[in-house]
Amino acid sequence: SQQGEEDPQALSIQEGENATMNCSYKTSINNLQWYRQNSGRGLVHLILIRSNEREKHSGRLRVTLDTSKKSSSLLITASRAADTASYFCATVLTGANSKLTFGKGITLSVRP
Amino acid sequence: NAGVTQTPKFRVLKTGQSMTLLCAQDMNHEYMYWYRQDPGMGLRLIHYSVGEGTTAKGEVPDGYNVSRLKKQNFLLGLESAAPSQTSVYFCASSYSIGTAMEDTQYFGPGTRLTVL
């Protein structure tokens, strides 16, 4: 079952622009994580935000979490061609033995 | 540190053949996972392990078996491969707190498997 759903499915922007990607989920979470996957490679962890946090930053990345709306957004500022990749949100539900469940991903293309 | 490594990188099987995918991690992580990634489906958990000698079923376990004889290794076996098992397989590991899988997962580079 799909817990996190990303929006949009695909995004194309010009280098230097900001990219905003959204994730919605259905049930209470322990934390939400964003991963990046370059073509033909494994996933790389970007940011983890816990349910009691509202915003986190890491370099050019900013993640927000709104538990009342059950949604999160990932903002990449001043995008670069190297940011071209697929981005996945993944959630860990509350409760013991809860597993990390991935969405289907967003394909981001940054045009030079 | 090599992180998480997977062998082989590519493999082509005929229907009914068997094979084992090997995952190794050098981060002393307790938890290890096997996922498959299919177009438009995201990642789906096949099996996972919360420690040496333990294994558990994930979302799509049918047709696969796993073993975790050593903490650093997690093996995924296909006893009788089927075309529906054509996919990209990813191994991951994490250092998790207590019994909860709360932490960052570290992924290997993947194994691309084609079953004819």
Side-chain angles (χ1 to χ4, degrees):
Chain A
S1 61
Q2 217 73 36
Q3 160 72 340
E5 293 191 7
E6 298 95 340
D7 172 66
Q9 289 186 329
L11 181 61
S12 181
I13 59 174
Q14 199 74 34
E15 202 165 27
E17 294 180 337
N18 295 342
T20 299
M21 291 168 271
N22 303 300
C23 174
S24 60
Y25 57 91
K26 297 174 184 175
T27 55
S28 296
I29 60 170
N30 176 291
N31 70 64
L32 184 145
Q33 303 177 32
W34 285 93
Y35 288 78
R36 183 188 74 231
Q37 183 181 33
N38 291 92
S39 181
R41 308 291 289 272
L43 278 73
V44 174
H45 178 260
L46 297 175
I47 287 186
L48 181 154
I49 187 165
R50 300 194 184 278
S51 59
N52 60 353
E53 297 174 315
R54 292 296 167 259
E55 186 170 315
K56 287 189 84 169
H57 296 255
S58 177
R60 293 183 296 113
L61 306 181
R62 172 178 167 251
V63 169
T64 61
L65 179 64
D66 186 335
T67 53
S68 66
K69 294 182 179 178
K70 292 187 170 58
S71 67
S72 172
S73 66
L74 170 66
L75 169 68
I76 304 175
T77 59
S79 64
R80 305 167 182 168
D83 294 327
T84 294
S86 293
Y87 292 81
F88 294 86
C89 81
T91 55
V92 178
L93 303 182
T94 53
N97 300 319
S98 181
K99 303 164 193 60
L100 190 66
T101 304
F102 287 84
K104 296 180 180 180
I106 297 171
T107 301
L108 172 66
S109 298
V110 182
R111 303 186 302 275
Chain B
N1 287 349
V4 180
T5 58
Q6 293 182 231
T7 52
K9 289 185 169 52
F10 302 93
R11 186 72 186 269
V12 178
L13 291 179
K14 295 180 180 178
T15 297
Q17 287 185 319
S18 63
M19 78 163 294
T20 300
L21 282 68
L22 173 63
C23 175
Q25 53 96 2
D26 61 2
M27 296 174 282
N28 201 34
H29 285 167
E30 288 294 332
Y31 285 35
M32 296 187 75
Y33 317 82
W34 276 106
Y35 294 90
R36 60 177 290 172
Q37 184 177 34
D38 302 294
M41 297 293 291
L43 274 78
R44 293 182 291 170
L45 183 64
I46 304 171
H47 286 282
Y48 64 99
S49 168
V50 300
E52 182 178 319
T54 74
T55 63
K57 294 180 180 179
E59 183 184 353
V60 288
D62 293 343
Y64 305 95
N65 57 75
V66 288
S67 64
R68 182 100 181 267
L69 298 180
K70 293 182 179 179
K71 186 177 182 178
Q72 63 268 34
N73 295 338
F74 196 28
L75 278 63
L76 177 71
L78 286 73
E79 289 187 348
S80 179
S84 60
Q85 294 177 304
T86 293
S87 187
V88 181
Y89 292 85
F90 288 100
C91 176
S93 69
S94 68
Y95 172 73
S96 293
I97 303 167
T99 59
M101 301 181 189
E102 297 179 5
D103 282 338
T104 301
Q105 293 190 12
Y106 295 82
F107 282 79
T111 295
R112 188 172 296 274
L113 175 66
T114 301
V115 183
L116 302 175

